[in-house]
Amino acid sequence: MSPSSAYLLISHGSHDLRPQRAMAQLAQLLRIRLASEQAKARQTISPTILPTISPQGSSGDGDLLTANGLSSQPLGATRGEFNSPSKSAPLVGTATLELADLPLHQQIVRFAQLAKGAGCQELKLLPLFLLRGVHVMEDIPWQVSLAQQKLGSEMVIHLLPHLGANPALVRLLRNQWAKLDGDAKILLSHGTSRPGVQEETGAVANQLGAVAADWSVQPSLWEQVSIIANSGAKRIAILAYFLFEGRITDAIAQMLLEIQQRLPQVQLNLGKPIGVSEALVDLIMDVMRHK
């Protein structure tokens, strides 16, 4: 990790407080991890050097993190309201593609100006998206280009690969599967109509010994559950391929209750989304290191 870099996690955006709180926790863990790595680089490892950072603030040199509508800052951060930086702590922030008072490119510009004031020379953006859909391939790059045009040579922006592009994500998902009981498995993602994405999701499902289903497009959860139930399976494990709990995962749980009533002979076990963990922090750090 370069001490002259700031990092931003980009999310889609949500009015639900649960993913917002999850992003706050994730950003805090990343700040602590980055501070620890900076200390190791200086060969001055000591518990006393780790910064005490409020989830409300981004400070110092480090990383700026952006996620779909999630924020590690209070809601004001989506309006570009950041606390003054401190030279002693990594600079980690969040931004949202949608549901913010400011468009993403303006959020990036404001954070970049804060990063420059903290002595950072470059800004690295990490899209916290699992699928290579329209947001990842079109919307975010366009917003980043607008921000770079506004900043000019004032700050260099690097757009990192989205989180779902890291092959190590499969290991994390295997740990999720270990918590579920089932004769058959379904990996349920949000889904996208962008060509090629369903094949990628299917490949991830294959590595997990599962079949893929999509929330927004075909094949649907009901279709896949019906096929598996008709094949004779008595227990079906369903893993929600989402980062955090929110309104969609609530809707999935409700749908499963309805499916369960229609198929009482089958036991449906729904797993939790990936969630905030040290393993997720490891994955994000891996993305940052290999760019």
Side-chain angles (χ1 to χ4, degrees), residues 18-241:
R18 288 170 294 173
Q20 294 181 28
R21 289 167 180 159
M23 281 301 302
Q25 183 181 4
L26 179 60
Q28 180 74 344
L29 289 174
L30 281 162
R31 291 186 192 107
I32 293 171
R33 183 72 66 84
L34 287 164
S36 177
E37 293 217 347
Q38 289 180 16
K40 290 178 182 178
R42 292 190 297 266
Q43 296 182 346
T44 56
I45 304 174
S46 169
T48 60
I49 67 169
L50 290 179
T52 300
I53 305 173
S54 165
Q56 293 183 349
S58 298
S59 54
D61 294 341
D63 297 63
L64 171 60
L65 311 177
T66 66
N68 282 2
L70 311 178
S71 177
S72 67
Q73 310 278 348
L75 294 182
T78 64
R79 299 189 294 270
E81 299 169 7
F82 303 98
N83 291 349
S84 299
S86 165
K87 292 291 184 180
S88 63
L91 183 57
V92 179
T94 63
T96 63
L97 179 61
E98 298 178 348
L99 305 178
D101 294 343
L102 293 175
L104 177 58
H105 70 275
Q106 292 185 23
Q107 297 174 59
I108 295 172
V109 168
R110 287 197 176 188
F111 190 86
Q113 291 169 343
L114 178 69
K116 182 182 178 182
C120 298
Q121 299 173 356
E122 60 180 6
L123 178 58
K124 297 182 181 180
L125 311 182
L126 173 60
L128 289 186
F129 291 73
L130 298 176
L131 304 180
R132 187 174 54 88
V134 174
H135 288 331
V136 167
M137 301 305 295
E138 299 178 21
D139 297 338
I140 292 176
W142 170 243
Q143 291 291 317
V144 171
S145 68
L146 292 176
Q148 187 66 81
Q149 290 175 25
K150 178 68 175 178
L151 292 166
S153 59
E154 182 179 347
M155 177 72 67
V156 177
I157 301 176
H158 298 288
L159 180 59
L160 303 176
H162 68 287
L163 187 65
N166 192 332
L169 182 62
V170 173
R171 293 199 301 269
L172 194 155
L173 295 174
R174 286 199 180 101
N175 292 333
Q176 298 291 103
W177 278 128
K179 305 171 186 176
L180 292 176
D181 184 25
D183 305 318
K185 302 174 181 178
I186 297 175
L187 181 69
L188 177 62
S189 69
H190 183 279
T192 175
S193 59
R194 187 176 179 83
V197 177
Q198 284 186 301
E199 288 77 6
E200 292 181 8
T201 307
V204 172
N206 287 337
Q207 293 182 68
L208 297 168
V211 297
D214 293 318
W215 176 250
S216 60
V217 295
Q218 305 299 321
S220 68
L221 178 60
W222 165 248
E223 288 173 338
Q224 296 293 49
V225 169
S226 299
I227 292 172
I228 293 173
N230 290 335
S231 71
K234 298 300 182 183
R235 297 171 301 166
I236 303 176
I238 299 138
L239 182 61
Y241 191 32

Side-chain angles (χ1 to χ4, degrees), residues 255-266:
M255 175 176 284
L256 277 183
L257 289 176
E258 297 171 3
I259 295 176
Q260 185 71 80
Q261 292 175 354
R262 298 172 66 178
L263 298 172
Q265 74 278 15
V266 178

